[in-house]
Amino acid sequence: MRLHYHAVATTYLINALILAVLLYRAAFGDHPHEHDVWLWGLYVLLLGSFALRARRLKRRVADLVIHAAQSCELMRVFGAASKPAPK
């Protein structure tokens, strides 16, 4: 079983909204952009938070799958044994 990161709709919406505001301020802002560095920094922290939470969730799901497989007495298969034999 392979686990991948998949963002949900709210993650896309939040990112699109924040990025739109930041890009609008960069392109059409009337005032000097002394605070925009902090806003971009906060946005990067938010992205890092999303990535960390996704990684933690992926790890929890992997632990759950491993525990369920062990409860069913399944074994991990590695290497050539994990590939189907040619016909």
Side-chain angles (χ1 to χ4, degrees):
M1 178 176 171
R2 292 186 183 184
L3 299 173
H4 299 282
Y5 299 123
H6 292 284
V8 294
T10 53
T11 305
Y12 286 119
L13 181 65
I14 289 170
N15 279 315
L17 234 135
I18 293 173
L19 203 54
V21 168
L22 288 173
L23 291 175
Y24 178 81
R25 285 181 53 90
F28 303 111
D30 293 335
H31 304 292
H33 306 297
E34 68 268 358
H35 298 296
D36 284 354
V37 174
W38 290 100
L39 293 175
W40 282 101
L42 289 174
Y43 179 61
V44 169
L45 286 175
L46 179 69
L47 291 179
S49 154
F50 283 159
L52 181 64
R53 292 180 71 181
R55 183 173 179 203
R56 288 174 51 197
L57 179 61
K58 180 180 171 181
R59 186 68 222 154
R60 280 187 257 151
V61 170
D63 288 342
L64 179 64
V65 168
I66 289 170
H67 179 71
Q70 289 172 348
S71 297
C72 296
E73 298 180 4
L74 298 175
M75 296 171 44
R76 291 184 78 170
V77 180
F78 297 99
S82 66
K83 296 178 178 72
K87 292 183 180 182

